Amino acid sequence: MGKRYQRSKSGAPGTYVLPEYQLHSALPEIYSRYYLLRFKLKPFLQLSSGYNFQWGKEDTDGMHTTVNSQNFALSGAFGLNLRLSRSIGLEALFNTRFDNNSKLTDANELLRYRLGVSICIN
């Protein structure tokens, strides 16, 4: 999930005409990983793909517009997984998108660093 917005500051001079917007993005993904080493701290490579759903509102020159977009997404990542037990781990990864097919500013595109918890079902 992602959210991106821009608002004009109150009291800003009229010479700065910035469009105001509030965009939301949901990107469910399926991924495949390759763990490079078999230690407690495991580096990994990841490829993922999914479908990006975007919606929001734009305000340009006093005109309110509802916008939406949908597109396929493909990304890759490098990360570390720290095993806390047989089935639970902490993760940190750097993610990059291979595509930019969205007609809107994608709130998930700037999400490069991720932290999380992994649960393995064996």
Side-chain angles (χ1 to χ4, degrees):
M1 291 293 295
K3 179 180 179 182
R4 188 171 182 169
Y5 65 92
Q6 174 174 296
R7 291 198 176 101
S8 298
K9 290 175 112 178
S10 61
T15 57
Y16 297 109
V17 180
L18 294 173
E20 293 186 358
Y21 58 85
Q22 182 172 340
L23 302 173
H24 301 273
S25 179
L27 176 56
E29 294 178 306
I30 189 165
Y31 64 88
S32 177
R33 283 190 180 166
Y34 178 73
Y35 290 94
L36 303 172
L37 301 171
R38 296 190 177 267
F39 298 122
K40 189 173 183 175
L41 183 62
K42 298 179 181 186
F44 63 85
L45 298 173
Q46 174 179 302
L47 288 176
S48 61
S49 65
Y51 206 71
N52 195 10
F53 301 94
Q54 299 170 288
W55 66 96
K57 297 176 185 176
E58 291 181 342
D59 183 7
T60 307
D61 297 329
M63 300 288 295
H64 300 288
T65 308
T66 302
V67 294
N68 62 35
S69 177
Q70 299 176 9
N71 61 295
F72 177 75
L74 183 63
S75 61
F78 172 80
L80 294 171
N81 181 302
L82 175 64
R83 285 289 197 206
L84 300 177
S85 71
R86 179 176 161 89
S87 59
I88 297 176
L90 296 176
E91 294 184 346
L93 64 94
F94 174 77
N95 188 63
T96 186
R97 293 275 294 271
F98 296 137
D99 63 344
N100 191 5
N101 299 328
S102 176
K103 63 181 182 179
L104 300 176
T105 302
D106 187 359
N108 281 324
E109 189 173 23
L110 296 176
L111 185 62
R112 301 238 188 247
Y113 301 99
R114 298 181 184 180
L115 298 174
V117 175
S118 64
I119 299 172
C120 298
I121 302 171
N122 305 30

